Amino acid sequence: MLGEGRPGAVDTQDVLGAPATRRDRVYLEPGVWRDPVAWTIAALVFGAYFAISLFRYLRLAPASWDLGIYTEYVKQLSLLRAPIVDVRGSGFNLLGDHFQIGLAVLAPFFRLFPSPVTLLFFQALLTALSVFPVMAAGSALLGRPSGRLIGFAYGFSWGLQQMIDFDFHEIALAVPLLAFSLSALVRGRVRATALWALPLVFLKEDQGFTVAAIGALLVFDGLRAIADGPAGSGRRGSIGWGTPLFLWGLTWSVLAITVIIPHFNPLHEYYYWKDGGVVGRNSGFSAGALIVQTASGWPVKLQTVVMLLLPTAFAALGSPLALVALPSLALRFISTNSAYWGTNWHYNATLMPILFIAAVEALARWRAAAPGRRRPGRPGRLTGVLGDRVGRLGDRVGGLWISLRDGLARHAAPMMAAVAVALAFQFPLSDLWQGSTYAISPHVVADNAAMAVVPDGATVQTTLNLLAPLAARTDTFWIGNAGNPLTEYLVFDGENSGYSPVPANVPAFIAELYPTAGYQQIFDRDDVYVFRRR
């Protein structure tokens, strides 16, 4: 039946190997867009994630200044202005921090709905959209029941939850692009793989290395096809797409880091070289020093790796597709900044589609090799790079590996779903059943009243928790930055000022900070103040 994606309708290894015949293509299409369960899972993902991020915003409890930064960035693009983001620093062009011009696709929507909520809405929507290609890969290669379970486990994986919980970031757009690209790859669609991967370079400067890894995987597949002779003739086009994709990704990352970002940076440098240690500029590089630096903090890094593999029941380890995650992970682990090593923030979100689709590819091969298969089929599309060699090594080790492999092949999908449910109690999804998530305190009411005093288009300095809502309609500066100009208004939340010690007398504190500015207090409620320059 069209769109059923039944396992066994065409051999799983044929799906991953040579191009399908016209008859086979009928069974390769999982019809995921017509599956009501897929839409239900995606709707639940969207609803849960939008609720988490929306109520964090409404409580005025941001995790950092990022939502304020990106609100002002997209606002400037929507007005066809240079992306000067005063939240980041007075007169700071955000292209001097990260290469993220791809966010311009959100600018027309922000122009219609000028609010940080617009960014949060699309972040949740794009995350929900990425469920479809992951489920499509699972349904095509493993059957619809397994595909649904894997789609559920992916949609609620902890890496995506952390991205949602930590405000907004540009990689929200990278998640669905990676999912569509790699889903096409495991289903033998080389051109679609490349076309979905191409825009990734415009979302962040490090994504080019991931694109290059996808291109390298295609090249290796093409080389293996040549080694296979006539049997691999249908896959030799992988080199034709993989080589330019590899060069495209590598070129854009190098160009962004060494030319584009320094051009827009006020110091004409790539700011994050400071975290590079022995690979940073003006640092002595040696292989030994790099190994020592990478091994630093290994308990945290090892825990992160285990947590990354746990949602796929460690099945992702069986696929060479997991190698696509290495550039992102290596850049983080080489860094001397420990904030990149762990499971917090948004840094693990782009690894989720990679590892889940890698798990699908591995499970498809393992099912094909399991006892009782009528046709074991040819080695899969990716197995020539690494997977078949790992499999043969495991076979030589003995029955333990074979038993483990066959057990995962049968039960990994429900195991993934069970892990997702279990981890929900430890990650942000648990906020959904906490009453405090939806409580708007009187202090927040006072904050909103204070912000309402500031007219649209004014210049204003404020504390971190008020940056995003004010940035949507004013020229906003974070009061914690040095070098800010004297703004027309100053909104100060005494309870969330970020100053230590906390100012006991806010009006006196402001008078001391700006003795000649002539700020006059015009609002005072629940330790929230508004000052206007005379």
Side-chain angles (χ1 to χ4, degrees):
M1 182 180 296
L2 178 64
E4 282 297 319
R6 298 172 294 162
V10 62
D11 189 87
T12 307
Q13 298 294 359
D14 292 338
V15 174
L16 295 172
T21 66
R22 180 168 181 167
R23 176 179 177 276
D24 288 339
R25 287 195 185 98
V26 173
Y27 299 108
L28 294 184
E29 293 295 339
V32 69
W33 297 105
R34 297 188 297 276
D35 182 2
V37 175
W39 282 96
T40 300
I41 293 173
L44 290 173
V45 168
F46 169 76
Y49 288 167
F50 186 50
I52 290 171
S53 57
L54 174 63
F55 278 95
R56 179 185 273 276
Y57 168 74
L58 293 177
R59 297 194 315 270
L60 298 178
S64 70
W65 62 351
D66 290 320
L67 184 58
I69 287 174
Y70 286 110
T71 295
E72 188 163 8
Y73 177 72
V74 177
K75 179 187 72 176
Q76 298 286 53
L77 296 178
S78 73
L79 298 173
L80 302 181
R81 298 173 181 167
I84 303 300
V85 178
D86 289 322
V87 171
R88 180 66 175 76
S90 180
F92 190 90
N93 189 318
L94 202 62
L95 292 179
D97 189 40
H98 290 300
F99 184 62
Q100 49 206 358
I101 60 174
L103 279 178
V105 299
L106 300 183
F109 302 100
F110 191 92
R111 185 69 179 267
L112 293 173
F113 307 100
S115 167
V117 176
T118 300
L119 303 186
L120 301 177
F121 173 87
F122 277 100
Q123 181 169 251
L125 184 64
L126 290 164
T127 305
L129 178 65
S130 71
V131 170
F132 288 98
V134 174
M135 194 177 298
S139 298
L141 304 188
L142 304 173
R144 181 163 288 182
S146 293
R148 288 168 169 172
L149 288 171
I150 290 172
F152 170 83
Y154 163 77
F156 293 105
S157 57
W158 66 265
L160 299 182
Q161 292 182 52
Q162 295 290 69
M163 175 183 70
I164 294 295
D165 196 46
F166 287 95
D167 301 325
F168 175 87
H169 295 91
E170 68 286 291
I171 53 95
L173 280 75
V175 169
L177 288 175
L178 279 167
F180 277 106
S181 177
L182 299 179
S183 179
L185 176 57
V186 298
R187 290 183 287 156
R189 299 172 179 177
V190 175
R191 182 174 64 178
T193 299
L195 293 179
W196 282 112
L198 287 174
L200 284 165
V201 299
F202 301 122
L203 297 178
K204 198 175 180 182
E205 64 276 6
D206 60 354
Q207 286 301 303
F209 296 119
T210 299
V211 172
I214 297 173
L217 207 58
L218 289 175
V219 170
F220 279 121
D221 179 62
L223 293 174
R224 174 184 173 270
I226 293 173
D228 286 346
S233 59
R235 302 196 321 279
R236 296 178 188 178
S238 296
I239 297 178
W241 285 100
T243 302
L245 189 64
F246 175 83
L247 295 174
W248 169 266
L250 197 60
T251 299
W252 272 107
S253 278
V254 172
L255 187 66
I257 291 171
T258 61
V259 178
I260 298 174
I261 295 175
H263 171 76
F264 290 103
N265 187 277
L267 300 178
H268 300 294
E269 65 179 13
Y270 181 56
Y271 176 75
Y272 299 95
W273 280 123
K274 69 180 179 61
D275 297 325
V278 298
V279 295
R281 290 190 173 176
N282 303 319
S283 298
F285 175 82
S286 70
L290 179 62
I291 293 172
V292 171
Q293 180 173 307
T294 306
S296 175
W298 69 265
V300 176
K301 296 173 181 177
L302 179 60
Q303 182 184 33
T304 298
V305 171
V306 172
M307 286 298 300
L308 286 169
L309 295 170
L310 181 61
T312 68
F314 295 89
L317 280 175
S319 173
L321 191 65
L323 296 173
V324 175
L326 283 184
S328 174
L329 206 56
L331 288 172
R332 291 167 53 196
F333 286 177
I334 288 172
S335 173
T336 59
N337 188 342
S338 61
Y340 301 138
W341 302 345
T343 57
N344 286 332
W345 302 101
H346 58 288
Y347 303 114
N348 298 288
T350 54
L351 301 180
M352 294 293 106
I354 297 172
L355 295 176
F356 271 89
I357 295 177
V360 167
E361 193 276 330
L363 293 173
R365 260 187 299 105
W366 294 344
R367 285 190 182 186
R373 287 282 300 184
R374 290 181 303 157
R375 293 190 299 147
R378 294 185 298 276
R381 166 172 289 277
L382 299 176
T383 57
V385 181
L386 179 65
D388 57 344
R389 290 165 175 76
V390 173
R392 289 197 296 268
L393 176 62
D395 292 344
R396 287 197 293 270
V397 170
L400 179 61
W401 157 251
I402 296 175
S403 298
L404 178 61
R405 180 196 67 189
D406 293 345
L408 280 175
R410 290 192 300 271
H411 305 300
M415 289 171 64
M416 292 182 199
V419 169
V421 172
L423 291 181
F425 293 91
Q426 303 178 44
F427 285 94
L429 205 62
S430 63
D431 292 347
L432 290 175
W433 48 85
Q434 304 292 332
S436 57
T437 299
Y438 312 100
I440 306 300
S441 69
H443 185 77
V444 170
V445 174
D447 279 323
N448 288 324
M451 289 188 288
V453 172
V454 180
D456 294 352
T459 58
V460 56
Q461 287 190 77
T462 190
T463 48
L464 186 144
N465 59 321
L466 308 181
L467 286 175
L470 284 170
R473 59 183 185 85
T474 69
D475 185 7
T476 307
F477 298 77
W478 179 42
I479 199 169
N481 276 335
N484 288 336
L486 293 174
T487 55
E488 298 170 86
Y489 290 84
L490 196 155
V491 184
F492 195 94
D493 186 333
E495 287 189 11
N496 300 285
S497 68
Y499 283 92
S500 181
V502 175
N505 185 324
V506 170
F509 178 74
I510 296 301
E512 183 180 351
L513 278 180
Y514 307 101
T516 62
Y519 278 113
Q520 179 182 5
Q521 180 182 318
I522 60 172
F523 180 93
D524 173 10
R525 185 191 304 174
D526 199 18
D527 204 22
V528 182
Y529 301 84
V530 178
F531 302 88
R532 182 175 58 200
R533 285 192 73 196
R534 295 195 183 104

